[in-house]
Amino acid sequence: MCGIIGCIGVKNAPEVIYEGLKRLEYRGYDSAGCAFLSHGKITVVKREGRVEKLLPLLKGLKADMGIGHTRWATHGLPSDENAHPHSAGGISIVHNGIIENYLPLKEDLILKGVKFLSDTDSEVVAHLIAQNYDGDLLKALFKTVKLLKGSYALMAICEDEERIVVAKNKSPVILGLGDGQYFCASDEPALAGLADKISVLEDGDFAELTAHGVKIFDESLQPVSREVSPNLAVCQSLGLDGCPHYMLKELREVPMSIEATHKAFNSIEAKLSKALKDVTRIIITGCGTAYHASLIGKRYFECFARIPVECETAGELRYKNPVMDANTAVFAVSQSGETADTVEVARLALSMGARVIAVTNSRLSQLTRLATVVVPVASGPEICVCATKSYTGQITALYLSAIVLAGESLDGDRAKELLKIPPVCRSTLESLDMRSLAHVCASSTGVYFMGRDIDYAVALEGSLKLKEITYIPGEGYPSAELKHGTLALIDVNVASIFIITDPALAGKSENAVEQVLSRGGKVAVITTVKEVKERLSNKLQVILLPECDKYLSPLVTAVAIQTLAYKTAVVLKRDPDKPRNLAKSVTVE
Ligand code: M6R
């Protein structure tokens, strides 16, 4: 959730840490802070709010090493005091994760006379390292983490030593290897342009960074080596490409995301087909948007391969003692590949002998490293907290996986239909005018998204998008269920948006439209069926999208619901890239 970064051997550590934190800000933006070591003295600067608030505080600071943190609050309100780094006895630390047993540890420290300055779980770590310090920071960190329960990526510096020490359990840490310059960070993009090579730490690992190099140690503090690979993030653009927000930029990349995911799939088709051999049970799981993509995947698997599929949010599934065995394939869908619940389901599945298929946009994530096979979502970096192009990438990856499971050819009709979709999305992005509907949503007290079958899955995502970035309450609902309760909520202040893509079900959805209209509710329809427009456009706003294959329609309707959410956020002057209370990567429970 939080983002952390460290550097040593650099010319201007404040600048490097600041730029790195800007890149990590999608992981949390409640507060930001850094600590620099220069001439045996640590200087800490930290502030509640966005990373940019640090800029004036960094002016004039000079150091060649430092650590930084951008926070998504878990324990303690967003405030200057709760901002990291936390310090004790000439030691400063930054932490990503949750120390689950921090309360008894804190009580113990208070009994020993320690004064706490924050409400965070992380501050206990600074005090424990200070208590365990005996002239060797790495050993003090080692002793400290033995006392911790929970998840942590920890970086620490000390006034008496010119090194950064690191510990990792469940939260990610990537080491960056440059020329006489060394880095550690929560993800690869934070090191773009800084390090050509990277190494990924494993759970239980420790690391030491000095101006002369990097050493990695295992859970017993024995030297260990980890694979070194090129840092691909250096080649990827993280700019806004002239867009006012990352959300708009990434929405415009939806067609690219579908094409690139399709292309990348060819390289894993054979591996996937082998991994799915003799599978009798399929489970698809994920959280938030990834779960909504999973629901669409379930339809593909069942329709194309006629295998029953269970689909459940990862946070639910992991605690249900799910039935999994050697003939089960678990598709774990996650943009980041770091979502704690999804990763834990994958671990559980492996421990029960099942095969894990990671559907992920992150080549270095925990999920990627755990999985039996990775189906790549090739959307490129997604900076906006709200998922757009990764959703369409996930749907594409699941569509192709279902074709493989069904034993169909990747040159067959279904794959040919997929090739038609990116140009359709491109033209939709160019011609779609959502301004008037965005104003309707912005002035509503609630917005319901409704659909049937596959459109219902998209309705869930439409509702999540709008809630996430506009804070307007609402729900995604099956059209047919409306009259069984939700209709009671309809009045003139509430908007209902129907998604209709299946001509065979259109008439049924239109009944629900009429039911809302006759209760005075505001209604709009997003459809790929031109007859629906002909029938309804004299009484309500109908957004007509290009006709397309029924199964692939979510890729086109996604563009519409994402654009609607974006435009509504703009009308309401919300920041779509950094919605309140959220973070992109949910690495805690
Ligand atoms: O990285 P993941 O795909 O595992 O993330 C899962 C959810 O946290 C994520 O999709 C979330 O719902 C998005 N912010 C929605 O836009």
Side-chain angles (χ1 to χ4, degrees):
M1 314 283 307
C2 305
I4 59 176
I5 181 164
C7 64
I8 191 161
V10 301
K11 283 208 183 87
N12 189 351
E15 198 179 309
V16 170
I17 297 289
Y18 179 77
E19 289 303 325
L21 288 180
K22 291 289 283 178
R23 285 168 184 262
L24 288 167
E25 201 172 15
Y26 72 90
R27 300 176 72 92
Y29 30 85
D30 288 328
S31 64
C34 10
F36 304 101
L37 178 65
S38 179
H39 301 103
K41 193 176 168 319
I42 291 179
T43 306
V44 172
V45 293
K46 51 186 192 172
R47 276 291 176 276
E48 180 191 344
R50 304 273 166 101
V51 171
E52 66 192 19
K53 284 203 180 167
L54 294 180
L55 201 53
L57 308 174
L58 294 174
K59 269 204 183 116
L61 276 184
K62 295 242 171 305
D64 58 13
M65 64 177 282
I67 52 177
H69 185 275
T70 178
R71 177 170 187 246
W72 182 78
T74 61
H75 295 65
L77 292 171
S79 68
D80 289 355
E81 294 73 28
N82 290 335
H84 295 219
H86 295 290
S87 307
I91 287 161
S92 292
I93 65 110
V94 289
H95 168 223
N96 170 27
I98 288 186
I99 308 301
E100 287 166 7
N101 60 337
Y102 84 102
L103 264 181
L105 293 169
K106 186 170 178 175
E107 280 159 12
D108 231 38
L109 287 162
I110 289 172
L111 285 178
K112 288 181 184 156
V114 169
K115 297 251 176 309
F116 278 82
L117 302 176
S118 78
D119 301 319
T120 65
D121 53 334
S122 311
E123 193 184 350
V124 295
V125 179
H127 291 292
L128 288 171
I129 297 178
Q131 300 227 327
N132 286 324
Y133 186 68
D134 190 12
D136 186 329
L137 187 60
L138 183 60
K139 282 196 180 139
L141 178 66
F142 176 73
K143 276 191 194 165
T144 298
V145 301
K146 297 287 164 215
L147 305 170
L148 306 179
K149 289 202 177 92
S151 55
Y152 49 81
L154 282 163
M155 295 173 191
I157 56 172
C158 168
E159 291 193 333
D160 296 334
E161 303 185 19
E162 295 216 338
R163 59 176 170 166
I164 300 172
V165 297
V166 180
K168 178 218 172 335
N169 184 43
K170 293 187 179 162
S171 302
V173 181
I174 315 277
L175 301 180
L177 316 172
D179 191 10
Q181 310 187 328
Y182 301 94
F183 308 88
C184 39
S186 301
D187 72 15
E188 202 183 4
L191 303 180
L194 294 173
D196 318 331
K197 292 189 186 132
I198 49 168
S199 267
V200 183
L201 291 191
E202 301 284 338
D203 279 347
D205 281 356
F206 294 84
E208 173 202 74
L209 287 73
T210 67
H212 308 292
V214 163
K215 287 184 187 154
I216 306 176
F217 306 91
D218 68 10
E219 57 196 0
S220 315
L221 222 50
Q222 294 307 307
V224 71
S225 58
R226 299 285 173 228
E227 194 187 331
V228 176
S229 57
N231 181 6
L232 297 184
V234 283
C235 319
Q236 291 165 338
S237 155
L238 298 181
L240 278 162
D241 285 356
C243 293
H245 299 103
Y246 280 108
M247 182 170 178
L248 183 60
K249 176 191 175 226
E250 290 163 5
L251 220 166
R252 289 181 179 165
E253 289 169 349
V254 160
M256 169 286 293
S257 166
I258 299 169
E259 281 163 348
T261 301
H262 192 169
K263 194 165 165 216
F265 191 85
N266 294 321
S267 63
I268 59 94
E269 181 198 355
K271 261 198 218 162
L272 180 65
S273 168
K274 200 169 155 211
L276 293 177
K277 195 163 181 285
D278 302 327
V279 154
T280 53
R281 185 181 183 83
I282 303 252
I283 297 175
I284 317 183
T285 192
C287 299
T289 293
Y291 168 66
H292 294 157
S294 306
L295 288 171
I296 294 171
K298 172 180 159 71
R299 293 288 288 120
Y300 295 157
F301 282 43
E302 289 183 339
C303 288
F304 304 176
R306 304 304 297 161
I307 289 191
V309 176
E310 273 170 69
C311 183
E312 181 121 44
T313 57
E316 282 294 305
L317 188 61
R318 66 182 283 200
Y319 292 111
K320 280 194 161 166
N321 190 13
V323 181
M324 298 173 179
D325 60 20
N327 292 325
T328 308
V330 176
F331 280 75
V333 184
S334 172
Q335 187 282 130
S336 61
E338 296 289 348
T339 297
D341 285 327
T342 312
V343 171
E344 288 312 314
V345 169
R347 280 192 222 281
L348 179 69
L350 290 171
S351 74
M352 295 172 95
R355 310 157 211 191
V356 170
I357 320 296
V359 179
T360 181
N361 191 31
S362 171
R363 72 180 187 112
L364 295 175
S365 65
Q366 301 203 57
L367 195 58
T368 304
R369 296 203 304 280
L370 281 174
T372 318
V373 177
V374 176
V375 177
V377 172
S379 306
E382 193 176 62
I383 306 294
C384 177
V385 166
C386 164
T388 51
K389 59 177 178 169
S390 65
Y391 172 65
T392 46
Q394 288 162 354
I395 294 171
T396 306
L398 290 166
Y399 180 83
L400 293 163
S401 301
I403 293 177
V404 168
L405 185 68
E408 295 176 17
S409 158
L410 276 187
D411 296 322
D413 288 348
R414 290 196 209 277
K416 282 187 190 137
E417 284 299 323
L418 179 61
L419 288 174
K420 295 182 192 161
I421 297 296
V424 170
C425 291
R426 253 179 218 114
S427 67
T428 303
L429 278 162
E430 272 160 27
S431 59
L432 199 60
D433 186 353
M434 280 290 183
R435 279 171 303 180
S436 135
L437 189 51
H439 279 278
V440 171
C441 291
S443 62
S444 299
T445 54
V447 178
Y448 292 92
F449 285 81
M450 278 169 278
R452 301 181 76 114
D453 189 10
I454 214 159
D455 296 335
Y456 164 51
V458 180
L460 289 172
E461 179 61 5
S463 175
L464 176 67
K465 278 308 71 127
L466 196 77
K467 283 184 276 204
E468 184 177 12
I469 62 170
T470 68
Y471 321 144
I472 302 170
E475 232 180 309
Y477 221 71
S479 315
E481 280 289 298
L482 181 68
K483 54 193 174 298
H484 297 291
T486 304
L487 200 54
L489 296 174
I490 301 298
D491 65 24
V492 290
N493 299 311
V494 170
S496 300
I497 296 168
F498 286 82
I499 302 169
I500 305 176
T501 62
D502 186 348
L505 292 174
K508 309 273 178 207
S509 289
E510 285 168 46
N511 290 343
V513 168
E514 295 294 347
Q515 288 155 15
V516 176
L517 279 177
S518 53
R519 267 86 188 168
K522 299 183 262 188
V523 185
V525 168
I526 296 171
T527 185
T528 54
V529 185
K530 66 176 185 318
E531 291 76 17
V532 170
K533 182 166 169 103
E534 284 161 13
R535 288 195 291 266
L536 295 180
S537 56
N538 61 338
K539 24 186 156 173
L540 49 97
Q541 187 175 0
V542 180
I543 311 279
L544 182 63
L545 303 174
E547 201 181 330
C548 60
D549 178 79
K550 165 179 141 179
Y551 292 112
L552 291 167
S553 66
L555 295 171
V556 182
T557 47
V559 167
I561 52 128
Q562 291 170 354
T563 305
L564 176 62
Y566 175 73
K567 295 280 181 198
T568 311
V570 170
V571 169
L572 291 170
K573 298 197 169 32
R574 311 274 194 235
D575 180 349
D577 289 344
K578 296 192 180 76
R580 70 183 182 200
N581 305 339
L582 298 180
K584 181 124 190 105
S585 187
V586 185
T587 56
V588 293
E589 270 197 70

